[in-house]
Amino acid sequence: MDLPVWFEVVTLVTLTLLLIVDLLIVTRRPHEPSMRESTAWVSFYIALPIVFGILLLIISGGQASGEFFAGWVTEKSLSVDNLFVFVIIMNQFRVPRRYQQSVLMFGILLAIVMRGVFIVLGALAINQFAWVFYLFGVFLIYTAAKLAQQQASGPHVDEKFDSPLLQRIGRRFPVSADYDGIKFRTVVDGRKMLTPMLIVFVAIGSADLLFAVDSIPAIFGITQEMFLVFTANVFALMGLRQLYFLLGGLLERLVYLSAGLAVILAFIGVKLVLHALHENNLPFVNGGEPIHVPQISILVSLGFIGATLAVTTVASLLKTRRDKVRLR
């Protein structure tokens, strides 16, 4: 898949400028966005990848465009699941609404950096070792099983996010009871202390790391083009901050999201294993010779992902509506 160098450069420069503008808006005017402001930004960040996908279709053809759209939809779905964890963190640490934009912006930028590193490592591994497809495929199927178990155990918005690192920070360093803007350190009664904001940032960073580990194998199951993998991830993460404020309570109504993501990740995992068998070079599998198995096309992948998300959303909204009627 050959894309013009100028197109890749212009795309990366444009994405960088958009992220800088977004960062300046947050740092210069920390506030809780209105519904109108959030809607306008979310609409813009959804229209942007659609336009980009159309440009890919014109410049490089249907294969590149199809892979990008399938990757973007998958990563966007996983990023919405990311929002559930952000909601948990914000609620657990009682982050004031006016500072939540800054926390989310940090989380998004860190997620882009982490995913960029994982993309490079993943691409290098795939180029050197074809058996990595087996590893990614099995990992995604395992992740799908965990999500299915999570769905069966109840809505994950009620879970608490915690980690040994957070516990160590709380035990070893004095932490103030109140926030001091977005500062990490403050002075209380002449004593220097850490603020809860540092703990929040560590929690967000830990969540980003976990989601990066899950999302990169998923996108490599759709396309191995580094440019498409990276742009699909960036487009999926952009606008996540505004989406957080726009969705609000709607996140709690997507009760079957874990089940939908489990189906999608399992599908991509199977697709990766089939691709690994087709490219097989492991000496203990079929004598190191490729196995001619059916390959799942990008159109089938895109259709399956879209249909799964549509069914998940409709089923979730119908269930929450029925539950609300029963409580009356």
Side-chain angles (χ1 to χ4, degrees), residues 69-74 77 222 260 263-264 267-268 298-314:
F69 277 123
W72 172 61
V73 171
T74 299
S77 306
I222 295 169
V263 172
I264 291 172
F267 171 79
I268 297 174
I298 193 63
L299 286 178
V300 171
S301 299
L302 186 55
F304 182 87
I305 293 167
T308 302
L309 288 176
V311 171
T312 299
T313 302
V314 172

Side-chain angles (χ1 to χ4, degrees), residues 23-51:
L23 182 61
L24 288 175
I25 291 174
V26 171
T27 53
R28 291 192 175 185
R29 194 169 64 93
H31 67 291
E32 179 183 346
S34 65
M35 186 67 69
R36 183 176 179 180
E37 180 184 346
S38 297
T39 302
W41 278 107
V42 169
S43 300
F44 172 73
Y45 282 125
I46 289 177
L48 206 59
I50 292 174
V51 172

Side-chain angles (χ1 to χ4, degrees), residues 104-126:
L104 289 168
M105 195 66 207
F106 164 79
I108 291 167
L109 291 175
L110 185 60
I112 291 173
V113 172
M114 285 186 174
R115 294 187 187 197
V117 172
F118 276 96
I119 288 167
V120 172
L121 294 177
L124 290 174
I126 285 172

Side-chain angles (χ1 to χ4, degrees), residues 18-19 22-23 26 33 37-49 72-87 89-90 97 100-112 115 204 207-208 211-212 215 232-248 251 254 257 261:
L18 284 171
L19 288 170
D22 212 3
L23 182 61
V26 171
E37 180 184 346
S38 297
T39 302
W41 278 107
V42 169
S43 300
F44 172 73
Y45 282 125
I46 289 177
L48 206 59
W72 172 61
V73 171
T74 299
E75 293 300 317
K76 196 69 177 178
S77 306
L78 289 170
S79 69
V80 170
D81 201 41
N82 224 9
L83 284 183
F84 279 105
V85 178
F86 288 165
V87 168
I89 292 172
M90 299 291 190
R97 295 284 289 183
Q100 289 183 7
Q101 279 213 88
S102 300
V103 174
L104 289 168
M105 195 66 207
F106 164 79
I108 291 167
L109 291 175
L110 185 60
I112 291 173
R115 294 187 187 197
I204 291 286
D208 279 337
F211 276 98
S215 68
N233 268 276
V234 175
F235 277 120
L237 291 169
M238 291 174 71
L240 198 61
R241 173 174 61 83
Q242 294 87 351
L243 189 62
Y244 172 88
F245 292 99
L246 179 63
L247 291 181
L251 284 175
L254 298 177
L257 181 62
L261 289 176

Side-chain angles (χ1 to χ4, degrees), residues 19 148 255 321:
L19 288 170
V255 293
R321 182 180 295 178

Side-chain angles (χ1 to χ4, degrees), residues 36-306:
R36 183 176 179 180
E37 180 184 346
S38 297
T39 302
W41 278 107
V42 169
S43 300
F44 172 73
Y45 282 125
I46 289 177
L48 206 59
I50 292 174
V51 172
F52 179 76
I54 293 171
L55 289 175
L56 275 175
L57 178 63
I58 296 170
I59 293 172
S60 187
Q63 180 72 15
S65 180
E67 289 182 2
F68 169 76
F69 277 123
W72 172 61
V73 171
T74 299
E75 293 300 317
K76 196 69 177 178
S77 306
L78 289 170
S79 69
V80 170
D81 201 41
N82 224 9
L83 284 183
F84 279 105
V85 178
F86 288 165
V87 168
I88 294 166
I89 292 172
M90 299 291 190
N91 290 337
Q92 185 177 351
F93 295 102
R94 297 181 178 84
V95 180
R97 295 284 289 183
R98 63 183 180 276
Y99 302 139
Q100 289 183 7
Q101 279 213 88
S102 300
V103 174
L104 289 168
M105 195 66 207
F106 164 79
I108 291 167
L109 291 175
L110 185 60
I112 291 173
V113 172
M114 285 186 174
R115 294 187 187 197
V117 172
F118 276 96
I119 288 167
V120 172
L121 294 177
L124 290 174
I126 285 172
N127 288 335
Q128 294 294 323
F129 311 104
W131 54 263
V132 172
F133 286 113
Y134 285 113
L135 188 62
F136 281 2
V138 171
F139 177 75
L140 286 180
I141 293 171
Y142 168 73
T143 303
K146 283 202 308 179
L147 283 173
Q149 184 180 20
Q150 176 179 286
Q151 180 70 59
S153 64
H156 61 292
V157 292
D158 294 331
E159 295 175 0
K160 284 190 174 183
F161 183 87
D162 206 350
S163 73
L165 180 58
L166 293 181
Q167 294 172 7
R168 288 195 197 99
I169 293 175
R171 286 197 301 263
R172 296 189 179 186
F173 300 96
V175 180
S176 65
D178 300 316
Y179 288 87
D180 186 4
I182 59 172
K183 296 178 181 177
F184 292 162
R185 298 182 66 187
T186 189
V187 177
V188 179
D189 298 329
R191 185 186 180 194
K192 292 182 179 179
M193 305 180 75
L194 299 178
T195 71
M197 187 61 73
L198 176 63
I199 312 297
V200 171
F201 273 43
V202 171
I204 291 286
S206 303
D208 279 337
L209 178 60
L210 294 175
F211 276 98
V213 171
D214 284 344
S215 68
I216 298 309
I219 187 72
F220 271 117
I222 295 169
T223 178
Q224 286 84 56
E225 293 289 332
M226 281 188 63
F227 177 72
L228 296 183
V229 171
F230 183 72
T231 51
N233 268 276
V234 175
F235 277 120
L237 291 169
M238 291 174 71
L240 198 61
R241 173 174 61 83
Q242 294 87 351
L243 189 62
Y244 172 88
F245 292 99
L246 179 63
L247 291 181
L250 183 59
L251 284 175
E252 298 179 7
R253 299 178 64 188
L254 298 177
V255 293
Y256 292 131
L257 181 62
S258 290
L261 289 176
V263 172
I264 291 172
L265 292 181
F267 171 79
I268 297 174
V270 171
K271 183 175 184 290
L272 269 175
V273 171
L274 290 175
H275 182 72
L277 291 170
H278 192 266
E279 301 290 328
N280 178 63
N281 59 5
L282 290 178
F284 53 84
V285 178
N286 197 38
E289 296 296 322
I291 301 174
H292 300 292
V293 293
Q295 296 287 285
I296 301 173
S297 70
I298 193 63
L299 286 178
V300 171
S301 299
L302 186 55
F304 182 87
I305 293 167

